[in-house]
């Protein structure tokens, strides 16, 4: 999921000009799970803004339940069928979702002007109710086959790919002594699995061309094409 | 040519020192530190934004040492440069007369004085060694041929007291395979532990220089024990330095260093003395430990 956290209300207020008519948008998937932009938070944001004198013309968390704001066709349909009049009045949209959802609102409103109501912080795993941890950088070239499924680009604060730096102490990272050294975790995991020899293998420098921005993915049921500065890569899933 | 390389290859015990470039352009103190050890050590390491604190660069200070007839070991970290800058800086260093390079990961920016800096780490230290070896071989990391190639003596670091040591040794082996020609270690205070480490790497055919950091005070020892990875100053040694008057600390620091050097000398191919500003004491250590 895309982990998000709301911006402080003072920052949000500072984005809005006096008299600006605002429509508030949330997301019923990731932002709902992060309590940054689900139905209760979006409704509450509308109230918090009104309380501070902002002209809120409406709010929406496009359904059906659990659907992501970033599904453009659905969001556009909900906006057109349920909120056309309010959206017509709006000068801008405050989006309580990730950066993808933010752009979806631009597309769904034919180029509407948006304000980010959240900071998008990482792609994460919900490890328990209320705790979201980061395990992947979306780098475009997964190397975890050699690290027991643990990503050193994420778990090592220096993103080292050939083993730890000399800074770990008692298995903790030099950056934060509360945080596990990612390479210590990888070592323990490979050792327990009897696969420590995987660590002997030299890892070539990352191909950052696959981590270029912006990237593009075209998908069909049996074929996908990923396009980055490293070129277009097409794979099939039915051979 | 590298005197450090020649010394090690001739089977002579090698001694290196170290200076830390200042924040600013006044090099008087730092070059005076190097003058203290000129002729006493075979080469002097020049640290690269040590502790992730912004300073004048290690390449400029290395070049200044060359002007003074002192051979530098140019320290180069992966923290601040991507692969273009690392390779370009290596070529520039060669053009300035630098022959020894110590390839390092680099302390994380969050430990220094520009904590919001973007950490680069485009390459890691193993990658850097491999890339530098490639430059020595006449090609860049994309395989393009160089017009004139360097011939660096490439070094790396290892922490003999790291826990788990197996993880350090796996990486050390990768560094050797990637082209490391010599190693300098993190500070050694427990020769027995160093001996155990040297036993474990017996099959590695690579020269190791034991790191000697002058113990300046009990406070410094406790700070390192708490904060610096791979350094353990034994309690007895802390009591020893705590037990002398401030005026006698330098004498005691020399005495402790000489004792450690005496113990590690038969185990390795050299020592790397990091005086942390007490460079004027290095000649005494060299003399008392019969290293000259």
């Amino acid at each position: 999921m895309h982990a998000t956290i709301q911006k402080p209300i003072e920052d949000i207020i500072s984005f809005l000009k006096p008299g600006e008519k605002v429509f508030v948008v949330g997301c019923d998937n990731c932002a709902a799970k992060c309590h940054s932009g689900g139905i209760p938070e979006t409704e509450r944001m509308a109230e918090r803004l009104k309380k501070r004198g902002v002209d809120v013309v409406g709010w929406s968390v496009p359904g059906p339940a659990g659907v992501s704001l970033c599904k453009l066709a659905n969001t556009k349909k909900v906006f057109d069928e349920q909120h056309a009049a309010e959206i017509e009045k709006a000068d801008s949209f405050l989006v309580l979702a990730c950066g993808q959802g933010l752009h979806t609102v631009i597309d769904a409103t034919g180029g509407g002007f948006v304000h980010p109501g959240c900071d998008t912080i990482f792609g994460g795993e919900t490890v328990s109710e209320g705790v979201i941890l980061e395990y992947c950088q979306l780098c475009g070239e997964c190397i975890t086959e050699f690290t027991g499924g643990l990503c050193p680009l994420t778990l090592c604060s220096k993103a080292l790919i050939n083993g730890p730096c000399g800074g770990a102490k008692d298995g903790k990272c030099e950056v934060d002594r509360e945080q596990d050294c990612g390479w210590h975790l990888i070592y323990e995991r490979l050792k327990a699995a009897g696969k420590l020899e995987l660590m002997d293998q030299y890892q070539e420098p990352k191909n950052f061309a696959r981590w270029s921005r912006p990237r593009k993915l075209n998908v069909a049921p049996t074929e996908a094409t990923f396009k980055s500065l490293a070129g277009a890569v097409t794979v099939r899933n039915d051979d | 040519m590298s005197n450090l390389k020649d010394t090690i290859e001739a089977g002579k015990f090698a001694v290196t020192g170290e200076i830390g470039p200042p924040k600013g352009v006044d090099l008087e103190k730092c070059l005076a530190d190097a003058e203290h050890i000129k002729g006493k050590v075979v080469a002097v390491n020049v640290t690269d934004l040590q502790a992730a604190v912004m300073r004048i660069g290690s390449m400029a200070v290395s070049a200044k040492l060359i002007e003074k007839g002192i051979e530098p070991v140019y320290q180069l970290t992966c923290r601040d440069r991507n692969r273009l800058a690392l390779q370009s800086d290596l070529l520039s260093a060669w053009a300035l007369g630098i022959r020894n390079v110590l390839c390092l990961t680099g302390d994380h920016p969050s430990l220094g004085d520009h904590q919001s800096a973007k950490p680069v780490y485009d390459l890691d230290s193993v990658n850097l060694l491999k890339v530098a070896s490639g430059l020595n071989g006449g090609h860049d990391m994309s395989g393009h041929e160089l017009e004139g190639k360097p011939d660096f003596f490439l070094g790396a670091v290892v922490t003999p007291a790291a826990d788990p040591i197996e993880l350090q040794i796996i990486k050390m082996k990768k560094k050797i395979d990637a082209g490391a020609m010599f190693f300098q270690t993190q500070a050694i205070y427990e020769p027995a532990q160093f001996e155990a480490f040297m036993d474990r790497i017996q099959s590695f055919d690579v020269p190791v220089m034991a790191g000697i950091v002058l113990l300046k005070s009990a406070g410094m020892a406790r700070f390192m024990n708490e904060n610096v990875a791979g350094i353990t100053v034994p309690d007895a040694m802390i009591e020893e330095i705590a037990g002398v008057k401030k005026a006698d600390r330098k004498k005691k620091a020399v005495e402790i260093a000489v004792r450690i050097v005496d113990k590690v000398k038969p185990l390795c191919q050299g020592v790397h003395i990091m005086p942390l500003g007490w460079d004027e004491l290095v000649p005494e250590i060299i003399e008392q430990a019969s290293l000259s």
Side-chain angles (χ1 to χ4, degrees):
Chain A
M1 73 134 83
H2 276 45
T4 50
I5 185 165
Q6 273 189 13
K7 284 180 175 287
I9 190 73
E10 300 77 23
D11 289 4
I12 293 173
I13 293 291
S14 76
F15 298 158
L16 308 172
K17 288 198 183 70
E20 186 169 330
K21 293 183 171 57
V22 181
F23 186 85
V24 186
V25 184
C27 168
D28 208 34
N29 192 2
C30 303
K33 289 168 187 159
C34 293
H35 297 294
S36 57
I39 292 171
E41 299 81 27
T42 305
E43 182 173 21
R44 202 151 60 232
M45 178 58 77
E47 293 307 316
R48 290 162 77 197
L49 292 177
K50 283 181 195 163
K51 199 165 77 182
R52 288 167 172 83
V54 175
D55 189 353
V56 177
V57 295
W59 63 273
S60 169
V61 179
V67 78
S68 300
L69 176 67
C70 63
K71 288 189 77 172
L72 175 59
N74 183 73
T75 296
K76 188 163 178 8
K77 185 166 176 273
V78 171
F79 281 4
D80 289 348
E81 291 176 2
Q82 301 173 25
H83 299 285
E86 296 151 290
I87 286 175
E88 180 64 32
K89 278 188 263 170
D91 296 316
S92 66
F93 302 85
L94 174 69
V95 183
L96 299 177
C98 70
Q100 316 297 348
L102 184 80
H103 196 270
T104 306
V105 174
I106 296 177
D107 285 342
T109 56
F113 201 84
V114 292
H115 300 290
C118 289
D119 287 318
T120 309
I121 47 185
F122 55 83
E125 174 191 346
T126 309
V127 293
S128 62
E129 185 59 34
V131 179
I132 300 161
L133 298 180
E134 184 177 24
Y135 290 107
C136 173
Q137 297 294 296
L138 316 176
C139 76
E141 184 188 48
C142 193
I143 59 166
T144 61
E145 178 59 22
F146 307 100
T147 53
L150 303 178
C151 174
L153 268 80
T154 309
L155 297 176
C156 166
S157 59
K158 297 177 184 173
L160 305 179
I161 55 176
N162 276 292
C165 71
K169 194 170 173 70
D170 303 323
K172 301 293 178 186
C173 178
E174 74 174 26
V175 169
D176 175 1
R177 293 296 183 201
E178 304 281 297
Q179 183 185 307
D180 290 321
C181 163
W183 276 103
H184 195 88
L185 296 175
I186 292 167
Y187 165 78
E188 295 285 350
R189 186 163 158 76
L190 291 178
K191 192 172 174 141
K195 294 183 175 178
L196 208 49
E197 76 280 358
L198 285 172
M199 276 193 65
D200 296 337
Q201 198 167 321
Y202 174 74
Q203 295 298 328
E204 292 288 346
K206 286 287 290 180
N207 180 359
F208 284 93
R210 284 180 73 102
W211 205 346
S212 61
R213 266 64 52 110
R215 293 168 291 179
K216 187 177 176 184
L217 181 66
N218 287 323
V219 290
T222 58
E223 188 181 279
T225 300
F226 165 46
K227 195 165 178 293
S228 68
L229 286 182
V233 179
T234 300
V235 293
R236 299 195 62 82
N237 59 28
D238 60 348
D239 54 1
Chain B
M1 63 166 221
S2 156
N3 288 322
L4 176 60
K5 183 182 182 198
D6 291 348
T7 302
I8 289 175
E9 284 182 353
K12 291 185 205 149
F13 196 77
V15 183
T16 48
E18 182 168 300
I19 55 167
K23 185 187 278 289
V25 294
D26 183 357
L27 296 177
E28 203 176 317
K29 161 83 171 71
C30 134
L31 294 177
D33 282 345
E35 284 287 350
H36 281 303
I37 51 179
K38 181 179 177 180
K40 311 279 181 186
V41 297
V42 63
V44 176
N45 281 42
V46 183
T47 51
D48 176 16
L49 275 55
Q50 63 271 27
V53 170
M54 195 292 293
R55 304 161 197 268
I56 194 167
S58 53
M59 195 193 312
V61 175
S62 293
K64 285 286 174 192
L65 288 188
I66 294 169
E67 282 176 14
K68 289 186 163 291
I70 301 169
E71 179 169 309
V73 177
Y74 167 54
Q75 295 197 183
L76 180 65
T77 73
C78 299
R79 176 191 53 233
D80 309 310
R81 305 162 181 88
N82 70 5
R83 58 194 76 182
L84 281 95
L86 286 167
Q87 292 179 95
S88 175
D89 280 1
L90 282 167
L91 297 181
S92 303
W94 180 265
L96 290 170
I98 291 166
R99 299 296 176 257
N100 311 304
V101 184
L102 191 74
C103 300
L104 303 142
T105 303
D107 295 323
H108 195 278
S110 68
L111 304 180
D113 68 349
H114 286 65
Q115 298 184 351
S116 53
K118 182 176 186 182
V120 180
Y121 304 113
D122 183 23
L123 305 183
D124 67 17
S125 55
V126 180
N127 298 144
L128 177 58
L129 284 159
K130 188 146 180 158
V131 168
S133 302
L135 296 178
N136 277 353
H139 57 85
D140 71 13
M141 67 180 289
S142 296
H144 299 119
E145 203 176 320
L146 303 178
E147 285 174 37
K149 60 184 184 182
D151 183 21
F152 288 116
F153 188 46
L154 298 171
V157 295
V158 67
T159 304
D163 180 29
I165 190 62
E166 189 178 23
L167 190 47
Q168 265 303 294
I169 290 173
I170 291 170
K171 188 154 185 188
M172 184 182 183
K173 178 70 169 54
K174 285 173 114 166
K175 287 180 175 180
I176 295 168
D177 292 344
M181 303 167 191
F182 71 98
F183 280 81
Q184 291 177 329
T185 78
Q186 180 59 284
I188 308 290
Y189 290 102
E190 294 179 290
Q193 197 175 34
F194 181 66
E195 187 170 4
F197 169 77
M198 291 304 290
D199 274 349
R200 287 197 64 155
I201 61 155
Q202 228 170 23
S203 64
F204 297 173
D205 187 22
V206 69
V208 174
M209 303 179 73
I212 306 292
V213 170
L214 287 192
L215 196 61
K216 292 178 159 181
S217 67
M220 170 194 170
R222 289 192 203 98
F223 177 84
M224 290 194 299
N225 280 353
E226 273 172 36
N227 298 294
V228 184
I231 293 190
T232 311
V233 185
D235 289 342
M237 202 178 277
I238 299 178
E239 281 164 30
E240 198 182 338
I241 192 89
V244 297
K245 280 185 252 142
K246 200 171 177 186
D248 294 330
R249 274 196 205 148
K250 287 189 173 176
K251 198 172 153 223
K252 180 56 83 179
V254 170
E255 187 189 317
I256 292 172
V258 168
R259 207 164 62 216
I260 299 167
V261 172
D262 281 343
K263 294 239 178 71
V264 300
K265 198 178 164 188
L267 306 168
C268 58
Q269 289 69 43
V271 286
H272 173 55
I273 304 173
M274 295 168 264
L276 308 180
W278 282 7
D279 295 71
E280 79 272 15
L281 303 182
V282 175
E284 265 180 78
I285 297 169
I286 290 170
E287 193 179 320
Q288 290 186 34
S290 311
L291 296 176
S292 47

